[in-house]
Amino acid sequence: MPMFYSSRSDSRSIKARGRIAAMLRTISVWTCVAGAAWMSPGAALADSPVYELGPQDKIRVSVIEWFTGAGELRSPINGEYTVSPNGLISLPLVGDVKALGLEPTVLATQVSEKLQAKLSLSERPTTSIEIVQFRPFFVMGDLERPGEYAYRPGITALQAVSLAGGFYRAASQTPAQAQREALQAAGERRSLSARVTELIVRRFRLEAELKNAEAIEFPEDMSSRKADPVVAAAMRLEGTIFDARRRAFSTSIAAQKKLIDLYGQEIQALKAQAESLERHRDATKQQADNLRSLQSRGLATMGREFDIDRMLADVAIRKQELDGKSLRLQQELVKAENATQEADARRKQDIAGELQTLQGALDDFEQKLLLADQTLAETELMPSRNQRPGFKLVRQDASATETEIVATSATPLQPGDILVVQFAHSVRTNVAGRETGSTLGAQVPPNGASVTEASAAR
């Protein structure tokens, strides 16, 4: 770090320090301008007059501050920082600073202002920002090595193609080999599509079971394909399984309900017996009261009261037995009702687990279908020498809005661009029995269907 020493009483030294500080501020401003200018030598960066920072950009931040009392230059911040995915850089003493969508000079000014406010400085420090590494760009389409590549200022679409190994070519493959691979991929794809169809039909069956529906409700696009042997077989199989499982569950629930009814009837019978015993007890007590009244008047002999007391004791014992049996039956009734509810909850839990497993299998088959389609595209849609490539750029601004730009081989790229390179192909029927063709855009399944459902429909 440069150090300057001087005396307070030397006026010439004070003036010299002022001139040095002014020179440093001027140099720093030129550093910011140069840091933005060297990014696109000879031309503006991708036809843009300024460069706006974005995620994955790596910058070097240098802050220089003149301390008058110490007569020295200090650099509280000096290092390299990468713009985070949310568009921020984290600086010491300052904290998080938004860099997304800002020019380097604007960011340098904001850093100086934040540092001055944070440290309560009398003068604003000087900040310079230099772009060390641009965020990468991406290439995809009919290329040898599509993927992510480091950005270089002034790179064009054709130069990006050369970085990706050039246009896709299969010179090492003979037509017979390509046809054989296409046939294998087509056969695998038909098998995968049939398996996906079976899983989709099974999902409709499980969803119907989860709702306790009376029958499986298939959507119109699935019902309209009953003429397809694969679809018809899958619907018959899942319908048979649905009916069998529904009958088994209904039988189990009906048996539990019948047991609950029997418990209820037996409890009611015990209640009736208990009421009869209570009436018998009341009658016996009335008889004992009458006997004692007659005895008090000398109209009845002594001794019969012992028989009546014994009868009352027997009635009390039988009443206790009935109450105990009734209590046990009520406990069994509660257990039977809980068992019915637990059986329904366990069934729904099992169905939910099956649905989760099925969705995982569908996702796996989706990846396999995409791989099979890619193999077919590589073997059936190989570009020929008389075909010309098409270029398209997908560019995202600071607000995450994507814009598609029709490009040429000489179009300059910007950091973060996605370059799509594809050859135009005439539509024809391939070995898989489907129409093929290529345009600069991805095919989207109709009505928002998933890839697996669209593949199964084809």
Side-chain angles (χ1 to χ4, degrees):
M1 179 186 301
M3 303 289 291
F4 296 89
Y5 301 93
S6 63
S7 171
R8 288 179 174 269
S9 60
D10 191 349
S11 60
R12 289 178 297 178
S13 178
I14 295 175
K15 294 180 179 180
R17 289 199 302 269
R19 288 194 298 270
I20 292 173
M23 291 174 62
L24 287 172
R25 285 193 293 269
T26 304
I27 293 172
S28 179
V29 172
W30 279 104
T31 302
C32 295
V33 176
W38 69 266
M39 294 184 293
S40 53
L45 181 60
D47 298 328
S48 176
V50 295
Y51 179 69
E52 296 180 349
L53 296 172
Q56 299 188 54
D57 278 335
K58 189 174 183 180
I59 61 177
R60 180 180 293 110
V61 181
S62 300
V63 178
I64 299 176
E65 181 184 1
W66 173 260
F67 281 79
T68 306
E72 62 182 13
L73 287 174
R74 294 182 182 178
S75 181
I77 300 176
N78 187 8
E80 295 181 357
Y81 304 91
T82 302
V83 181
S84 64
N86 55 359
L88 302 176
I89 58 173
S90 183
L91 302 177
L93 302 177
V94 178
D96 291 339
V97 180
K98 180 183 177 182
L100 179 64
L102 298 181
E103 302 173 31
T105 53
V106 176
L107 178 60
T109 302
Q110 291 189 3
V111 172
S112 296
E113 292 174 350
K114 288 179 177 293
L115 190 60
Q116 181 183 14
K118 185 75 172 180
L119 301 181
S120 301
L121 301 176
S122 58
E123 294 185 4
R124 191 174 67 184
T126 303
T127 302
S128 65
I129 292 181
E130 177 186 2
I131 300 178
V132 178
Q133 181 179 336
F134 293 93
R135 56 186 181 272
F137 67 94
F138 306 85
V139 292
M140 59 181 295
D142 296 330
L143 302 170
E144 283 291 323
R145 296 189 301 273
E148 173 185 326
Y149 290 91
Y151 179 81
R152 292 199 299 254
I155 189 171
T156 63
L158 189 59
Q159 291 171 342
V161 169
S162 66
L163 288 178
F167 302 114
Y168 178 76
R169 53 192 178 275
S172 58
Q173 254 188 352
T174 64
Q177 291 173 333
Q179 183 73 5
R180 183 165 57 252
E181 288 189 7
L183 289 172
Q184 292 175 352
E188 182 181 359
R189 192 187 187 286
R190 283 193 294 269
S191 176
L192 291 172
S193 296
R195 183 59 178 155
V196 166
T197 300
E198 295 171 0
L199 292 178
I200 292 176
V201 175
R202 183 177 304 171
R203 184 178 64 186
F204 291 133
R205 187 256 297 172
L206 291 174
E207 290 174 348
E209 290 179 349
L210 195 61
K211 298 176 183 176
N212 290 327
E214 298 290 334
I216 306 175
E217 296 182 1
F218 294 103
E220 184 178 353
D221 58 343
M222 180 67 70
S223 301
S224 62
R225 295 169 51 213
K226 289 183 178 180
D228 188 339
V230 175
V231 177
M235 295 176 70
R236 284 196 303 269
L237 176 62
E238 297 302 329
T240 302
I241 295 175
F242 176 83
D243 293 337
R245 290 175 57 157
R246 186 170 182 274
R247 282 195 300 269
F249 180 72
S250 299
T251 302
S252 175
I253 295 298
Q256 288 288 337
K257 290 183 177 180
K258 186 176 181 180
L259 181 61
I260 292 172
D261 292 339
L262 290 175
Y263 283 142
Q265 294 175 8
E266 191 169 356
I267 290 173
Q268 292 299 325
L270 290 176
K271 286 182 178 180
Q273 292 180 21
E275 292 174 355
S276 177
L277 282 175
E278 288 177 355
R279 289 194 297 270
H280 181 62
R281 180 193 62 191
D282 294 340
T284 303
K285 285 183 178 181
Q286 184 64 37
Q287 184 179 1
D289 293 340
N290 293 336
L291 180 61
R292 290 188 183 94
S293 177
L294 291 173
Q295 287 176 348
S296 64
R297 289 180 289 173
L299 300 177
T301 61
M302 302 296 292
R304 290 188 58 191
E305 64 272 12
F306 298 107
D307 295 335
I308 294 175
D309 291 341
R310 187 169 55 252
M311 292 173 58
L312 288 172
D314 292 341
V315 169
I317 292 173
R318 291 183 60 190
K319 181 65 168 57
Q320 291 178 354
E321 291 176 350
L322 288 176
D323 290 343
K325 189 174 182 180
S326 177
L327 181 60
R328 288 192 296 272
L329 285 174
Q330 289 178 0
Q331 292 174 347
E332 294 297 329
L333 177 62
V334 172
K335 289 181 181 179
E337 291 175 346
N338 290 339
T340 302
Q341 296 176 357
E342 290 175 359
D344 185 60
R346 186 168 54 252
R347 172 174 174 268
K348 290 183 178 179
Q349 185 177 0
D350 293 341
I351 293 173
E354 290 184 51
L355 278 171
Q356 186 176 5
T357 303
L358 183 143
Q359 187 59 47
L362 277 175
D363 293 340
D364 182 56
F365 279 108
E366 177 180 345
Q367 297 299 322
K368 292 181 179 179
L369 277 171
L370 291 175
L371 182 60
D373 285 339
Q374 182 179 359
T375 303
L376 284 173
E378 290 176 351
T379 54
E380 299 167 1
L381 302 178
M382 298 180 197
S384 61
R385 294 182 178 179
N386 58 354
Q387 291 174 327
R388 299 180 62 83
F391 299 90
K392 181 181 71 173
L393 286 177
V394 180
R395 183 168 296 166
Q396 189 179 79
D397 58 17
S399 62
T401 302
E402 291 186 349
T403 304
E404 294 187 359
I405 303 172
V406 178
T408 65
S409 60
T411 301
L413 273 61
Q414 286 188 7
D417 281 351
I418 301 175
L419 174 63
V420 184
V421 182
Q422 286 184 332
F423 285 83
H425 301 279
S426 59
V427 178
R428 65 181 185 279
T429 302
N430 61 13
V431 293
R434 61 191 181 97
E435 289 186 349
T436 62
S438 169
T439 59
L440 286 178
Q443 294 182 353
V444 179
N447 301 326
S450 65
V451 176
T452 50
E453 292 174 347
S455 300
R458 289 199 298 270

